[in-house]
Structures are given as C-alpha cells and as structure tokens.
Amino acid sequence: MNGVNADVDQRPAVSVVVIVYNDEARLPTAVRSVLEQTLRSVEVVIVDDHSTDGSYEVAARLAAEHPDRVRAYRLPGNSGGCGAPRNQGIRETRGEYVLFLDSDDVLERNACRNMLEAAESTGADLVSGLCVRVHVDTRTRKEVKWYPWLYARTRTLDSVSELPDLLVYDTLSTNKCYRRDFLVDNRLEFPVGIHYEDLFFSAQAYAAARRITLIPNRVYDWNVVERTESKSISNRRAEIANFAHRMEIHRRVDRLLADQGMRELKFHKDVKFLKHDLVLHLRDLPFRDAAYRQEFAGLARAYLASIDPAAYDEVEPIHAICAHLLRMSDWDNLLPAVDTLTNRDKVSAPLVERDGRIYWCAEHLDAPGEEGEFARRILDVTELGYHARPVGKLFLRNELTEYRETGRGAVRLAGRVTNPLGVIPPGARLTAELEFYARRPGVRFQTFRVPVATVRHDGPYVSWQATADISRTLRPLGIVDAVWDVRLHLDVDGERTSSRLTAAEPGLATGALPVRPRLTRLVADRVEPQISARGHLAFRLVPDKKANVLVTRGLQGTPGRLAKTGYRKAKTLRKKATSGDTKIRLYHEVFQRMPMRRRLVVFESHLGRQYSDSPRAIYEEMRRQGLDFEAVWSYTGRPKGFPADATLVRRWSLPYLRALARAEFWIDNQSFPLKLTKRPGTTYLQTWHGSALKRMGFDESGWKLKTRAEQAEQQRTLDRFDHFLIRSEHDVRTLAKAFRLREKVLLRVGYPRNDALVRAREARGARGDGARAAAERASLAAELGIPPIPADKKVLLYAPTFRHQGQRRFTLPFDVERFAETFGDEYVLLVRAHYLNHVVLPPSVRGRVIDVSAHHDVTPVLALADALITDYSSVMFDYALLDRPMLFFTYDYEEYVHEGRGTYFDLLERAPGPIVRTEDELTSVLRSMPLEEQTLKYAAARERFTADFGEYDKGTAAQSVVDQFFSEWRHK
C-alpha cells in the first residue's frame, strides 16, 4: 500500500475519502468538488481499489499537484466492493470529521462547511444532509431528491429511534459527516466481500450515535447514468448472488438491532423490505429462468419467515400478495401478481368471490388454522373495487402465449386476456384488433391495425389469435420512431377495453422480421421483438450493420444535429401551441373577435364532469318548449351520458373556447374557466349548486388572507355573473354577500333542478299518505339502472359531503356489512359519495346496499329515497322539499366546524331530524324510531327548514328562467 505524499503537521477539519475503481475520467471532477469547497480546511484521501486503467496514476498526479491537501493510496488487490477501500480511507484520514465520496459523484460546494457547522453547534456524532440523484444522461439533467421529507428542516435526534424512517430509508453512507473519533471508538467499518455494505454501515452508525443532526441543505450529488453497459453492483439484479448479499445484509442489520435493544425498529424495516427491497427483485422475475426463480424463492422464503405478520397490513395489497405467494412458492399466481406490481392497476388474476368478499385467488384460502386466516386477510382485495368496475374501466392482463414466425415478414401471435369475476359474460359478442404504434408520442404520425381472427371464451380467460404481416403492415419512418408498441383492443358488446401484450416467460419472442422504413432501408432493414421493462411486447428497428455506421455518423454530424434541433424546435412549438397560455391568448385575441353567434348557449355542470343539476333542467325545459337554439355542452373525460341532441366539446379544447367566445349565453353551476373574460354581448346565468352551510367566498379565512391583487382578480371572475339564481333569503345573506354580488344580479326563482322534487312532493300529497306507488318507484329505479326494490322495503339514501382523506377513495364511517345484516330486511341503502370522492362496497351487501355515485344527476336519487342520511351536504336543503325524514350523522362535527372553514349556522340547533354522532346511535335511532314516527315528530321542524332555505323553490324555476330569457326563441 503506497502513500504518495508525507503527512502535514496541521490537522484538517474534514477528511473526504474518495474511492475509485477504473474511473480515471471522472475522478478529477470528484476531487475538484472537494478542493473547491467553501471550507478550506479539507483534505482528500483517494483510495484506488487496484484499478486496471489509469485511475491510480490520475490519483497520484492529483496528489502531486496538491501535496498539502491530497493523498493517494492503492490496495494491493481488487476487493470487489466499496467496503475495503473506504475502511482503508478511514485509517488514513487525519481530519476531525470524515465524509465519503464515490469517484463518479460530487459534493455540493458548501457541503463540508454546512455539515461541520451543524456538527459543532449540536455536538452530533453524525450529520446527514440532502442527497440529490442527478440523471446525467438526460438532456435536462433531471434531478430527484433522495427521501426529501427527512430533510424538510433542521433537527437533532438523541436516538435514531425518534425517527425510524431515517434508519429504514436513508441507508446511504455518502451524504453524511462522521466524527472520526466516533468511528474509531465504535470500531465502525464497512463489511468487506459483500454488496450493500452501505446498509449495514449506516445501521451501525445510526445505532451507535449519541446524537444525530439532519440539515435541509443539499450536500451530495449522486450522478446516475441509466444508459450504460456496465451496471453498478447494486443494479446487477440478474445475478442471484446480488439478492443473496442483500438478504445477508438484512439479517446482519436485524441482529444488530436486536443486540442494541432496538427491536421496535425492525418492524419499520420489515415494512420497507416488503414494499421496496423485495419489490426491486420481484419485478425482474418474469425475465429470469426457472433455476433463478427457485433459488430466489429459497433465499426470500428464509427471510420472509422473520417478517412481522403485522407489517403486511402496512403496505399496498399487491405488495403483501406477492410476498405471501412467494412464501407459498405459488408461481402460477405469483407471476401474474408481479405483472400488477409492475403495472399499477392492472388486473392480472381472475379473482374469486367467496362469502361476499373478493380474493386475489382461491388457493390458500382453505389452509388450516392461522395460515388460512392470514391468507384470507392478505389475499382480500375487496377494497380495491375491481368487482364494481365495468369491463371498459379495467386494465386487464393479456398474456402472450404464442409468438411464431409463419413466413417472411409475418408472425403468429396468440394470447389470453384475464376475465376477472366473469366481467366478460359468456354470451358477449367479442371482436378484437391489434394496434401497432410508435412509442415516442411526438412521432405517432399513424398507427397500424390488424384484425384478430379468433376471439373466444376460455374458462377464466378470453383467448385470441392473429397473424400480423409485419413487413407489409408496419411502415415506420425510421430513426425517430425506432420502437413500436403493441396493444389489443377487445370489444365486448360494444364496450372497449385495451391491453398490452405481456410476455410472461423469457425467450418467448425472438427472431427478426424484414421491414421497409419510409426513409429507405439505410436506416433499418428489420425489426426485432423486445420486451419492455414493464414486460410488454414491442418491436425495435434494427439497422443493417454497415448502413448503421453511416447513419450514426450522419446523426452525429452537422446534418444529424440540424435534424435533431429541428425536431426539438417543432416539438417545443407544438407544446407551446397547446399550452394553457396560448389557448387563453387565442380565446381573447382571435375567438372573441369573431362574430357572436345568436342563440348559441354553452352549458356546463360541475366543471364539465356531469350532465346534471340546474343547467340540465334549463336545457331540458328549453327542448321541451321546442325553442330554436344551438346547444353546446362541455365535458371532462368521456361524454358518456351527455345529450345526443347537443354539440359536445371537451373542456379547454379549442372548440370549447371558440364556443364560449361566440356564445350569446353561458349557463353553468360552478364556474367557467377563471381566466376567460366574458364579452359584453354574452349573458352569464350562474345557477350555482347549493345553499351554503359552510362559509364561502370572501367569508372564508383563506380568501381573506389573499393579497389585494389576488382578491381583485377573484372578484373580476365573480363579476362576470349577469344573473345568480337564489332559492332563499339565506342565499342572499350568505352566498350573495360572500361573492359580493349586486342586488340586480340576484334572480329569486329557486333552483331549476329542484322543480322535480317539488312535483314529487305534490304528487305524493295528492295521493295521500302511505308508501309511494309501485309504478313510480319502479320507474325511478329503472332510470337509475338499479334492480327493482321490493314493495315491503324502504329506501334510505346516505349522501355525505366531500371529504379530504389524502386520496379519492372515501371510507364509510360505519360498517356497511353490519348495516346490511342489521337492516337488510327492512331497508335498501343507497350510497352516493361526493363526485370528488369514490366509495367501494363489498359484494356481501349486494342488493341491500347500492352505490349510486356514478349517476350524474342526484335529483332522481333523492326522489327515490324514503329518507335521507347526511352530514353537512347541501343535499339536505334540496331533500327538505320532499318533506321526508332526514337523519344527520355528524360523527366529526367539531372537527368539521372548528378546524374547517366554519359554518353560517349551528346545524345541531336547526337540523329537521335526529342528530347521531356514532354508528351505534345511528343503529339505535333506525331501530327505535320508524320512518313514519320521524315523519310526524319532525314535521314542524322540516316545514321551518324548508321555509328558511327553499322559500323560492315552487317547482317553476326552469320555466321561469326560460320565459324570462328565451321566450322569443319559440318557433312561430
């Protein structure tokens, strides 16, 4: 072992150990990042792991150029990892503190100063800062912060137990500064001869440190090169030894935690292992042969046996499912599950329903004792809601079962599409086609389609078979569209589902097929099948070897640079042309200068999400009266359920903006885009979407905190309203005041959407008390597409307000299965979640609890219900018009009122029905107080409530609006 220069007398504040192996080109940059630190008292200790290139010579030259700051050493033989050179570096350091740097990375310029100051001010043994992964081979050098939530602020820990995520997630050794005496006194060294040495070294350091300080400063740039033939040690997952080393390191860390009395940290580590470490290797299983899989399973099972079973409940269902199936060596179910692990939301298993629950597979459910109970818990996927989705909204696994060349340029493909829970019924009419399309979005000039000759039901699958003449079908440009993906479009009784072709076994698709690119065969003369990182079949253009040299030279020369520059400019222009700013400019500078179209009306409901509410009621009244007008409805997503006798435009599309700019009337219930000004000749009818319980507009604290300019901008959007529909003087005191609307804008006619509710109440009153007529109920049920409701059952509607729960899925605040079991013989419960939330009901409640959230219009749902259960939703004001019982399940009242934006009145004092705060209270009220009793008991309260909040809802709102604004459009 050779030292290049002698020791100097003065001890540096920080020593940075730079390790290198066969990296002579990048080593100087790494060393320079240390020498240029703003903290000058820093030395560099370079340790070469016996490189076979000129790395050590470069290190020696750097030491000679900076004799007082750089020293270089060389190991006598290559150690095969990072542990030995770092350990040698620790021994050679002289600084008070030690950092580690890899030769292909760099330190941030202030890293040493920031970490030293934190260490000295807090007395920490270990200081850790933010690491940033820099993808150096991307055009924009994309940056990704390494677990940034750990470094949101400066904090000091007396033990890593105070922040288990630190030990679990930030296992790097290189973004940290260590007190040298701390390393020496605790004999902290990296393990040698084994990969993932950082995991064990960091665990040792965390466990031994008496004080740890985290700083939010960027300290380390981890340079990542994706496109490289030589993968890093940790990324060589095709080698089974790689996984074996990972398992051994995990076992060592577990023993360390046990020895240090930190067993509680292992649970957090188990969770991370299931959702991260194991997943990294599971995703590669479809690309590995049987021998690798068996050895992998043996290693994994041995370690999974030590995982706390409770950890499975802390990860996503598919992570737990894969781990359990691996434990069981159930390859038939595991490999499809890995497909879902890799491709989020893909349904790769046929699924099974048992005892009202949905399971990933039937196997293992009947295992005896605790094993069977554990399997049922892990394999239960009811909450994912697969059973509630139609085939068109399912991403189905499509396993490629055959790939065979049948002649020059042609290939026979066959596969099977998973049919979960028989969502594709046996009698369905099936057709299909294959589509080939360029992967790069900017060059999808055209796609190529091939009809599928055979599609048939095949047990829990749908099998298909097709022959594609690739040579004639696929006509790429070449160069810019080198990769072509394939998908199957399956039509099931007119509803389409699309899926990618998954190659589940390695080596299934091989060979080459001739093609004729449009830029001649100089750019490519054949395509080869390849399997993408997500396991899907694709085809890559392969050039002739001699021609490839010429093409590559051309691409790297002036013509190639000009072509690439031209393409990038065109791509930028296209992106700019479709940007929001450009569209807004087009709207104001082009479309608004076009002549106004008389009798053009643009309708919108809930930002285009629905065909519903008062805009719908006005539109249908205009059609009923036979008015002569041009109707445009905006939609978001897909226009399913929107009227066929209107022009449909996608929200924010150019046709949408053009229609708004030229329309004589705007009618909506929320807001047309805020940045679009209304031309003077356009009349804006704002119907709004409900009376207010919670504070709105400028009455909200959030609005009050905005700057004066922001408030003025918001007011300008509200001033676009020419007329604002009012249903009570409560709206005048709340909504109108909160939006700062002028009196002349207010239109006291009620809500058009509520006309149907007023008519329903009057119709029931005309028939007298008692159950509604069977014909009326059947008609409403049919309109909603739900099964007929028995005459001896009442209908309850549960309609809560919007909930922020960190995700769109809404968790019901009561046990829906218990509810169905308790009241299923007496009631049918309809559940309508807010349109921004999503609810999943288990199959066990089928027929007794029905999700009606997908229906655009809530009005017929309200009319069908014999009673309403709500919390703070504005549907209470509408439902009151029916004069039927209401129950208020306010389980989070204090939080909603005091931690939210506040309310205009105390619901507990004015609610026209019983208030319940718990599930047991809800059950008790429904048991002890029949609806007929509630009807009588709260009659006076409902009457007052209706008078206060619906005084202008007389059942004639739509007609009143049409008569006032559109009567002259009647045909004469």
Side-chain angles (χ1 to χ4, degrees):
M1 204 170 298
N2 303 312
V4 172
N5 52 282
D7 293 345
V8 294
D9 295 335
Q10 187 176 1
R11 184 183 185 187
V14 176
S15 297
V16 180
V17 176
V18 181
I19 64 169
V20 61
Y21 176 70
N22 285 355
D23 198 17
E24 59 182 324
R26 291 181 291 190
L27 177 61
T29 301
V31 172
R32 193 180 311 119
S33 76
V34 182
L35 297 176
E36 294 177 355
Q37 287 287 300
T38 54
L39 179 71
R40 300 301 299 168
S41 182
V42 179
E43 71 164 355
V44 183
V45 176
I46 306 173
V47 182
D48 173 64
D49 196 11
H50 206 85
S51 297
T52 58
D53 68 352
S55 294
Y56 180 67
E57 286 72 20
V58 171
R61 186 177 71 247
L62 288 168
E65 292 172 356
H66 305 277
D68 57 336
R69 301 191 65 193
V70 179
R71 290 176 289 128
Y73 300 86
R74 190 185 195 200
L75 298 188
N78 178 250
S79 69
C82 301
R86 284 179 181 159
N87 291 339
Q88 178 63 28
I90 294 172
R91 289 190 286 271
E92 301 297 340
T93 57
R94 299 175 306 179
E96 187 177 355
Y97 293 90
V98 176
L99 278 74
F100 300 105
L101 173 65
D102 292 344
S103 61
D104 52 348
D105 300 330
V106 295
L107 289 181
E108 194 276 335
R109 190 164 180 264
N110 298 294
C112 291
R113 178 180 298 279
N114 288 332
M115 299 178 94
L116 177 64
E117 288 179 352
E120 292 185 335
S121 63
T122 64
D125 292 325
L126 185 161
V127 176
S128 190
L130 180 66
C131 170
V132 177
R133 286 168 58 94
V134 182
H135 294 259
V136 295
D137 55 352
T138 60
R139 192 164 56 89
T140 58
R141 289 177 63 90
K142 182 180 74 171
E143 296 186 352
V144 180
K145 295 178 180 178
W146 183 257
Y147 300 114
W149 80 84
L150 294 171
Y151 299 97
R153 60 183 175 85
T154 299
R155 52 181 159 177
T156 298
L157 313 172
D158 291 327
S159 169
V160 73
S161 297
E162 297 176 25
L163 185 62
D165 279 355
L166 186 61
L167 177 140
V168 170
Y169 288 98
D170 190 1
T171 56
L172 300 178
S173 65
T174 48
N175 61 333
K176 297 173 178 61
C177 174
Y178 311 86
R179 192 164 50 83
R180 189 179 188 279
D181 289 346
F182 162 71
L183 297 178
V184 174
D185 292 346
N186 288 279
R187 299 179 181 178
L188 296 184
E189 289 191 339
F190 291 85
V192 176
I194 188 170
H195 305 328
Y196 304 105
E197 56 280 305
D198 266 21
L199 273 71
F200 187 62
F201 180 83
S202 296
Q204 291 182 99
Y206 284 139
R210 292 174 294 109
R211 183 166 292 174
I212 301 168
T213 295
L214 309 181
I215 60 174
N217 309 79
R218 179 174 183 163
V219 299
Y220 195 91
D221 282 7
W222 176 358
N223 292 329
V224 180
V225 181
E226 299 286 357
R227 296 184 291 272
T228 176
E229 293 183 4
S230 177
K231 290 187 176 293
S232 65
I233 292 172
S234 60
N235 284 326
R236 295 174 194 164
R237 292 192 291 271
E239 303 170 7
I240 193 62
N242 182 288
F243 186 64
H245 286 201
R246 186 186 286 272
M247 293 298 92
E248 174 57 25
I249 287 292
H250 273 285
R251 281 189 288 269
R252 292 187 187 185
V253 173
D254 292 345
R255 287 196 296 269
L256 170 71
L257 295 178
D259 293 342
Q260 296 293 324
M262 295 180 169
R263 291 181 182 273
E264 73 281 359
L265 294 180
K266 184 180 183 302
F267 176 79
H268 299 277
K269 183 175 160 295
D270 286 347
V271 172
K272 193 242 186 178
F273 177 82
L274 291 176
K275 69 180 183 182
H276 177 73
D277 299 69
L278 184 61
V279 168
L280 289 176
H281 294 267
L282 282 173
R283 284 175 175 160
D284 293 329
L285 280 186
F287 306 101
R288 307 290 174 245
D289 59 24
Y292 178 98
R293 293 174 185 174
Q294 290 301 327
E295 193 169 354
F296 171 83
L299 291 167
R301 282 200 305 272
Y303 187 74
L304 285 171
S306 71
I307 296 289
D308 187 333
Y312 285 76
D313 297 325
E314 301 299 319
V315 300
E316 291 185 25
I318 192 60
H319 293 157
I321 288 168
C322 286
H324 180 66
L325 295 175
L326 181 60
R327 285 179 60 234
M328 299 292 104
S329 295
D330 184 352
W331 296 102
D332 290 341
N333 286 305
L334 173 59
L335 290 177
V338 169
D339 195 7
T340 295
L341 186 70
T342 305
N343 299 277
R344 189 178 179 85
D345 292 331
K346 181 184 283 190
V347 187
S348 60
L351 309 180
V352 61
E353 180 179 342
R354 184 180 294 185
D355 299 326
R357 307 295 294 178
I358 304 299
Y359 296 96
W360 187 259
C361 58
E363 290 78 6
H364 319 297
L365 300 180
D366 298 322
E370 293 183 0
E371 190 62 48
E373 182 180 343
F374 181 74
R376 288 188 291 274
R377 189 178 97 227
I378 298 304
L379 299 175
D380 190 332
V381 293
T382 308
E383 296 303 317
L384 297 181
Y386 294 137
H387 60 284
R389 297 187 209 169
V391 66
K393 294 196 174 179
L394 287 171
F395 178 21
L396 301 177
R397 172 178 165 89
N398 184 355
E399 182 184 350
L400 186 67
T401 57
E402 182 180 3
Y403 180 99
R404 180 166 57 87
E405 293 185 42
T406 59
R408 181 168 176 77
V411 63
R412 178 173 171 174
L413 301 169
R416 60 180 195 174
V417 179
T418 300
N419 184 14
L421 303 172
V423 69
I424 305 173
R429 182 177 55 83
L430 305 177
T431 58
E433 66 177 4
L434 290 172
E435 181 183 59
F436 298 79
Y437 57 98
R439 178 173 296 175
R440 182 180 290 178
V443 293
R444 290 180 185 170
F445 301 108
Q446 66 182 112
T447 59
F448 304 99
R449 292 180 173 84
V450 176
V452 172
T454 304
V455 190
R456 61 182 178 82
H457 287 277
D458 185 10
Y461 304 96
V462 170
S463 295
W464 58 271
Q465 191 178 92
T467 298
D469 191 337
I470 300 294
S471 296
R472 295 189 180 187
T473 300
L474 200 62
R475 290 300 310 279
L477 281 175
I479 302 177
V480 295
D481 55 352
V483 180
W484 287 73
D485 291 310
V486 193
R487 61 185 166 196
L488 178 84
H489 297 301
L490 176 64
D491 189 284
V492 182
D493 285 337
E495 189 168 9
R496 169 180 280 197
T497 179
S498 299
S499 56
R500 298 288 301 277
L501 277 56
T502 297
E505 294 294 334
L508 177 62
T510 58
L513 303 164
V515 291
R516 292 181 298 137
R518 298 177 191 273
L519 296 180
T520 80
R521 290 185 178 175
L522 277 176
V523 297
D525 60 353
R526 65 192 187 279
V527 293
E528 291 179 350
Q530 70 168 29
I531 307 304
S532 73
R534 293 185 175 272
H536 298 139
L537 177 68
F539 290 91
R540 177 179 288 278
L541 288 169
V542 181
D544 175 83
K545 290 184 179 179
K546 292 182 180 179
N548 189 39
V549 175
L550 298 175
V551 172
T552 302
R553 189 178 302 161
L555 288 174
Q556 293 174 345
T558 301
R561 285 196 300 273
L562 290 174
K564 290 177 182 177
T565 301
Y567 169 74
R568 287 172 184 155
K569 286 183 177 179
K571 187 176 179 180
T572 301
L573 285 173
R574 183 163 56 249
K575 184 177 180 180
K576 187 177 181 181
T578 57
S579 69
D581 290 342
T582 301
K583 287 181 176 180
I584 291 171
R585 193 162 55 251
L586 275 172
Y587 173 84
H588 290 106
E589 297 178 6
V590 178
F591 296 151
Q592 280 203 329
R593 294 180 180 180
M594 294 180 174
M596 178 177 284
R597 289 181 67 92
R598 308 303 299 177
R599 303 192 180 194
L600 172 60
V601 186
V602 179
F603 297 87
E604 185 171 287
S605 178
H606 293 301
L607 307 180
R609 293 184 180 92
Q610 300 178 354
Y611 172 59
S612 67
D613 212 76
S614 292
R616 173 179 178 172
I618 295 172
Y619 170 76
E620 292 180 350
E621 178 66 18
M622 293 172 73
R623 288 297 190 204
R624 188 188 67 78
Q625 293 191 25
L627 303 188
D628 180 16
F629 70 106
E630 182 182 352
V632 171
W633 268 93
S634 88
Y635 69 90
T636 298
R638 297 173 60 187
K640 186 177 180 181
F642 283 78
D645 56 356
T647 300
L648 307 182
V649 294
R650 186 184 298 276
R651 200 171 195 267
W652 269 113
S653 67
L654 295 182
Y656 171 79
L657 297 176
R658 186 167 55 245
L660 282 176
R662 304 185 67 190
E664 186 174 354
F665 281 88
W666 292 0
I667 300 178
D668 92 306
N669 65 354
Q670 199 156 340
S671 178
F672 285 110
L674 302 181
K675 294 186 178 181
L676 303 183
T677 58
K678 179 179 67 67
R679 69 195 301 170
T682 299
T683 300
Y684 190 166
L685 294 180
Q686 173 55 254
T687 70
W688 204 239
H689 52 273
S691 296
L693 169 63
K694 50 186 175 289
R695 295 188 177 275
M696 304 290 291
F698 288 101
D699 289 342
E700 291 184 54
S701 58
W703 282 40
K704 293 176 181 177
L705 293 174
K706 290 183 177 181
T707 65
R708 185 172 299 177
E710 289 172 331
Q711 290 189 16
E713 179 66 23
Q714 188 66 51
Q715 189 62 55
R716 277 193 292 272
T717 67
L718 297 170
D719 288 343
R720 296 181 302 173
F721 302 160
D722 294 298
H723 301 282
F724 188 90
L725 271 58
I726 294 295
R727 58 191 305 248
S728 70
E729 288 304 306
H730 169 77
D731 290 355
V732 177
R733 295 188 298 270
T734 56
L735 291 172
K737 176 177 172 290
F739 294 154
R740 299 175 181 174
L741 302 177
R742 295 160 294 170
E743 172 63 30
K744 67 177 183 178
V745 172
L746 308 183
L747 199 61
R748 292 170 169 84
V749 296
Y751 281 174
R753 74 182 186 194
N754 287 339
D755 291 347
L757 299 179
V758 175
R759 290 194 296 269
R761 182 191 65 208
E762 292 172 347
R764 173 177 285 194
R767 288 194 304 271
D769 294 335
R772 75 182 63 180
E776 178 187 349
R777 168 178 279 182
S779 175
L780 285 169
E783 181 181 343
L784 296 170
I786 64 178
I789 298 172
D792 62 339
K793 290 189 178 183
K794 299 287 187 180
V795 178
L796 297 179
L797 170 64
Y798 178 56
T801 193
F802 174 66
R803 285 296 195 283
H804 290 280
Q805 295 185 329
Q807 54 184 1
R808 291 190 70 246
R809 181 168 297 147
F810 172 64
T811 302
L812 293 173
F814 58 91
D815 186 334
V816 69
E817 291 180 292
R818 177 187 169 196
F819 188 97
E821 187 66 29
T822 303
F823 297 109
D825 294 335
E826 186 177 356
Y827 297 113
V828 171
L829 178 67
L830 306 181
V831 176
R832 180 181 173 85
H834 189 278
Y835 66 88
L836 292 176
N837 288 135
H838 175 61
V839 69
V840 172
L841 299 175
S844 58
V845 301
R846 190 181 290 126
R848 297 176 293 175
V849 183
I850 302 171
D851 181 12
V852 293
S853 306
H855 296 286
H856 281 197
D857 206 337
V858 70
T859 301
V861 181
L862 296 175
L864 181 61
D866 293 295
L868 171 70
I869 305 172
T870 188
D871 44 17
Y872 325 104
S873 173
S874 64
V875 297
M876 72 174 77
F877 303 112
D878 303 319
Y879 193 80
L881 297 171
L882 291 165
D883 193 27
R884 300 175 192 171
M886 287 189 280
L887 291 83
F888 297 86
F889 188 12
T890 58
Y891 58 92
D892 57 352
Y893 186 77
E894 283 74 19
E895 177 184 348
Y896 185 86
V897 172
H898 301 300
E899 296 181 20
R901 59 196 196 205
T903 60
Y904 285 114
F905 62 89
D906 189 345
L907 179 64
L908 301 184
E909 293 180 358
R910 301 180 67 175
I915 300 280
V916 295
R917 306 297 289 270
T918 67
E919 180 178 354
D920 288 340
E921 288 181 13
L922 175 64
T923 301
S924 177
V925 167
L926 288 174
R927 276 177 170 166
S928 62
M929 191 183 300
L931 297 186
E932 291 79 4
E933 183 179 333
Q934 290 188 42
T935 301
L936 295 174
K937 181 176 180 179
Y938 293 95
R942 286 197 307 277
E943 185 176 358
R944 288 193 302 270
F945 196 79
T946 303
D948 289 342
F949 302 108
E951 60 188 296
Y952 301 127
D953 280 321
K954 304 301 182 184
T956 58
Q959 183 178 344
S960 178
V961 170
V962 172
D963 290 346
Q964 186 168 341
F965 297 100
F966 308 110
S967 58
E968 64 182 41
W969 294 358
R970 294 190 178 97
H971 289 285
K972 298 180 180 178

